[in-house]
């Protein structure tokens, strides 16, 4: 134990005063015997012992009073609690959570402003410390671009920090802070994480992650001291109101092309993260900042409600649509305003051009391409309504100069291609075009396998033997949940029933050896449904062909498979697109299915069908509509916090200290560097002794009177 004010300990000598008074005032008397005294002598001896012990106890208490008072003024410190290496010059890194939820106000001050004030307060208290400040919203960012000893600079740099940086990156922030401390020279290293500690963020992280962080904290020559400083979203007096929040988002589109003057339907989802049901919630829908419509709905506590709007776009290009919660009394208790509006950019395109190759294409003939032409361009007038521009030609027209104008090519029961046409198709697909192959009765399977599978790995699978169904037992598609996102509309019978399709003839599609495909580094093949960007780098085919299957027969054999070739896409069908061997073109599902397939192929042809997106490139955003707001992560809208017990457990897992204020952090830091001060305990003991001395003195006085 040591003392911060050692000189004041000399005041303990004041205990000599009550001792001297006691000794000087001892009663001196002379014994005089008288006749009846011997009858009381025995009783007096017994009753005299107790007052004597009480007097000694009173003397002890009076001596302890100045001693404890002097020790309290001297501020004793238990040095046994001092942390080794924590008393040197300090390096301090502050991690500031500036995610969206930190914009929630506690009174008139947001949680982020409280964090900024706490950081500047630390800088003022530790002027000799080397400081670094990192924000942890979305991804860690060095706010100061280095370190500083200047509190004024810290306050200036943090003045413009806003709570709009997406989702908190807790683990990445801690790792960045540890790495930063490794570059700082002072021996005592402190890491302070200031956050609201949302349950949706912190509860989802596992023990393995915290164990790795804990090891990193203790890996250096001097362990890093971590403190978790909670900045509550609201006062604890009303925990129910603290989590009340409504949020809206527009559900993602499935990359279906949007055409001019075509009805476009969009869906929104309103979520109530609070524990109180909200009625009369009004949602406004806007296009290019113009009010188009509004809906009123009810949202149950902890539930969701869906709302839909429709509109048309008269011009090509990118258009911003927006949904917003407006003019609601419920918004008076809404804790987070940033998630009350959601924007999306819709790309309106001209119908892409599709080239159908059919050797039997003659005016008035019943060729396979006739059915497909009607499905892709059902209207005679091409001015309005057709999602595709369709041309039909023979394979002799497959020349590089002609193919540049098309987004995709379809081989409809084509027997074989000439070498010049093969080279043109290979270059077309490799540069980003789409290719679809239907296998009708005139297809030469051996030629396709040798030329377009073995010599040039264009086909996803080989054509094996042609199969025939038993009479009155047609083959059907498997009744299973579709995993490909852009085909999930066929889960609903409103889009067409895949179960209605029946096949009497088809080719078996078999996979080649995976290693043979992977060895062709110049033409690497990837899963069709896992690729998102039209010109993304292709990956090798997986060891299993299951990832390339889009739809399959009820016997487990593939009906529709897909893959990548260069920057393009290839779809292979085991049957014809006509009524040869199936009822495919006679069913209502034929039109939406063919349109979906060709639309996805056209995505691979560059700019033909850009996706509907919430974050387009900056150069492509609408210039007249203003800035596009960043979508809010739904986890940020859930304002529930981890409990005090969970925060304490988290601190134990990290070997950290949980604090609620800068003052508490400073106190904990003082304990680590100097030890624990115990003067409060001594003052408490002093008050107890004073009270005991008062009671004992009164008792002795009453007994002697």
């Amino acid at each position: 134990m040591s003392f911060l004010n050692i000189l004041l300990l000399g005041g303990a000598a004041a205990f000599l005063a009550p001792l001297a008074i006691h000794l000087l005032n001892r009663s001196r008397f002379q014994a005089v015997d008288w006749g009846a005294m011997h009858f009381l002598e025995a009783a007096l001896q017994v009753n005299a012992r107790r007052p004597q012990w009480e007097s000694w106890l009173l003397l002890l208490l009076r001596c302890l009073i100045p001693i404890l008072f002097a020790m309290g003024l001297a501020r004793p410190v238990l040095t046994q609690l001092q942390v080794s290496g924590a008393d040197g010059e300090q390096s301090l890194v502050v991690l500031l959570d500036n995610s969206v939820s930190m914009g929630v106000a506690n009174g008139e001050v947001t949680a982020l402003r409280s964090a900024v004030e706490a950081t500047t307060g630390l800088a003022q208290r530790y002027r000799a410390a080397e400081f670094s400040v990192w924000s942890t919203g979305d991804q860690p960012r060095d706010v100061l671009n280095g370190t500083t000893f200047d509190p004024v600079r810290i306050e200036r740099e943090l003045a413009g920090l806003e709570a709009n940086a997406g989702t908190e990156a807790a683990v990445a922030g801690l790792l960045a802070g540890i790495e930063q401390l490794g570059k700082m020279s002072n021996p005592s290293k402190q890491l302070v994480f200031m956050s609201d500690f949302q349950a949706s963020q912190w509860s989802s992280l596992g023990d393995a992650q915290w164990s790795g962080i804990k090891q990193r904290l203790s890996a250096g020559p001097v362990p890093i001291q971590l403190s978790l400083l909670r900045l509550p979203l609201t006062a604890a007096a009303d925990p129910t109101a603290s989590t009340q929040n409504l949020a809206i988002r527009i559900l993602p589109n499935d990359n279906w092309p949007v055409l001019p003057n075509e009805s476009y339907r969009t869906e929104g989802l309103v979520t109530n993260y609070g524990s109180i049901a909200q009625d009369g919630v009004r949602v406004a829908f806007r296009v290019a900042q113009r009010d188009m419509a509004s809906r009123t709905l009810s949202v149950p506590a902890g539930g969701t409600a869906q709302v839909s709007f429709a509109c048309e776009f008269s011009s090509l290009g990118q258009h911003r649509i927006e949904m917003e919660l407006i003019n609601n009394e419920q918004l008076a208790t809404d804790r987070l305003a940033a998630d009350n509006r959601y924007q999306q950019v819709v790309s309106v395109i001209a119908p892409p051009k599709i080239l159908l190759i059919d050797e039997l294409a003659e005016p008035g003939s019943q060729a396979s391409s006739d059915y497909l032409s009607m499905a892709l361009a059902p209207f005679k007038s091409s001015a309005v309504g057709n999602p595709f521009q369709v041309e039909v030609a023979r394979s002799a027209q497959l020349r590089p100069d002609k193919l540049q104008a098309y987004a995709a090519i379809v081989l409809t029961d084509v027997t074989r291609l000439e070498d010049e046409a093969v080279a043109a198709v290979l270059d077309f697909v490799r540069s980003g075009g789409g290719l679809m192959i239907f296998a009708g009765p005139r297809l030469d399977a051996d030629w396709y396998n040798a030329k377009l599978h073995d010599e040039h790995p264009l086909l996803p699978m080989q054509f094996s033997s042609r199969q025939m169904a038993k009479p009155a037992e047609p083959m059907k598609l498997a009744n299973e949940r579709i995993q490909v996102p852009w085909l999930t509309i066929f889960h609903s019978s409103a889009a067409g029933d895949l179960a209605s399709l029946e096949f009497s003839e088809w080719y078996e599609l078999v996979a080649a050896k995976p290693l043979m495909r992977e060895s062709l580094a110049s033409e690497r093949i990837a899963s069709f449904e896992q690729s998102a960007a039209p010109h993304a780098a292709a990956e090798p085919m997986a060891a299993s062909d299951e990832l390339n299957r889009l739809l399959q027969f009820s016997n487990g054999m593939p009906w529709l498979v897909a893959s990548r070739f260069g920057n393009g896409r290839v779809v292979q069908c085991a049957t014809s697109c006509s009524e040869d061997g199936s009822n495919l073109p006679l069913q209502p599902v034929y039109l939406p299915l063919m349109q979906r397939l060709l639309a996805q192929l056209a995505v691979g042809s560059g700019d033909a069908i850009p996706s509907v997106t919430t974050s387009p490139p900056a150069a492509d955003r609408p210039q007249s509509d203003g800035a596009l707001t960043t979508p809010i992560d739904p986890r940020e809208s859930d304002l529930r916090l981890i409990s005090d017990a969970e925060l304490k457990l988290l601190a134990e897992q990290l070997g950290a200290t949980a604090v609620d204020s800068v003052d508490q952090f400073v106190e904990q830091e003082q304990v680590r560097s100097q030890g624990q001060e115990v003067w409060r305990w001594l003052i408490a003991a002093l008050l107890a002794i004073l009270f005991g001395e008062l009671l004992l003195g009164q008792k002795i006085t009453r007994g002697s009177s």
Side-chain angles (χ1 to χ4, degrees), residues 27 47 135 190 258 264-265 307 387 411 455 525 638 651 661 683:
S27 299
N47 293 332
S135 61
Q190 298 286 336
V258 183
Y264 175 76
R265 190 174 187 84
V307 61
L411 304 182
E455 182 178 346
I525 301 174
D638 188 352
S661 65
I683 297 300

Side-chain angles (χ1 to χ4, degrees), residues 200-266:
S200 59
Q201 305 286 351
W202 292 82
S203 298
S204 61
L205 301 174
D207 295 341
Q209 291 173 301
W210 300 138
S211 178
I213 295 293
K214 186 176 181 179
Q215 291 178 1
R216 293 285 300 274
L217 289 170
S218 58
V222 178
I224 297 174
Q225 303 297 326
L226 172 63
S227 297
L228 307 179
L229 200 161
R230 183 204 287 273
L231 296 155
L233 296 178
T234 186
D238 191 3
T240 301
S242 67
T243 60
Q244 296 302 316
N245 187 43
L246 288 171
I248 189 169
R249 63 188 179 96
I250 300 176
L251 298 178
N253 195 282
D254 60 358
N255 288 352
W256 183 246
V258 183
L259 303 177
N261 302 315
E262 179 186 41
S263 179
Y264 175 76
R265 190 174 187 84
T266 182

Side-chain angles (χ1 to χ4, degrees), residues 280-304:
V281 177
R282 189 180 172 200
V283 181
F285 176 65
R286 303 186 184 97
V287 176
Q289 296 184 328
R290 296 192 305 271
D291 290 331
M292 304 297 292
S294 65
R295 302 279 190 276
T296 301
L297 61 156
S298 299
V299 191
T304 61

Side-chain angles (χ1 to χ4, degrees), residues 75 80 109 271 330 351 439 539 555 610 634 637 651 668 696:
R75 296 179 64 184
Q80 293 88 344
V109 181
T271 304
Q330 291 80 2
E539 297 294 337
N555 65 357
S637 298
Q668 294 288 345
L696 186 58

Side-chain angles (χ1 to χ4, degrees), residues 471-499:
E473 294 184 15
M475 179 65 73
K476 289 180 172 291
L477 295 182
N479 183 17
E480 60 184 1
R481 184 162 186 84
I482 300 172
Q483 302 298 323
V484 184
W486 48 273
L487 290 178
T488 55
I489 65 165
F490 297 106
H491 289 155
S492 169
S493 59
D497 189 4
L498 292 175

Side-chain angles (χ1 to χ4, degrees), residues 329-392:
E329 294 181 3
Q330 291 80 2
L331 295 184
T333 60
D334 191 76
R335 302 288 297 165
L336 186 63
D339 56 10
N340 292 344
R341 184 175 65 168
Y342 199 102
Q343 298 175 340
Q344 198 175 73
V345 168
V346 179
S347 297
V348 181
I349 64 165
K353 298 183 68 173
I354 307 296
L355 179 62
L356 307 184
I357 302 299
D358 191 341
E359 298 297 349
L360 300 180
E362 294 289 348
S365 65
Q366 292 296 319
S368 298
S369 59
D370 291 342
Y371 294 101
L372 196 54
S373 296
M374 289 186 289
L376 300 180
F379 303 104
K380 293 295 184 181
S381 173
S382 60
V384 177
N386 284 331
F388 300 94
Q389 301 179 53
V390 178
E391 292 185 16
V392 182

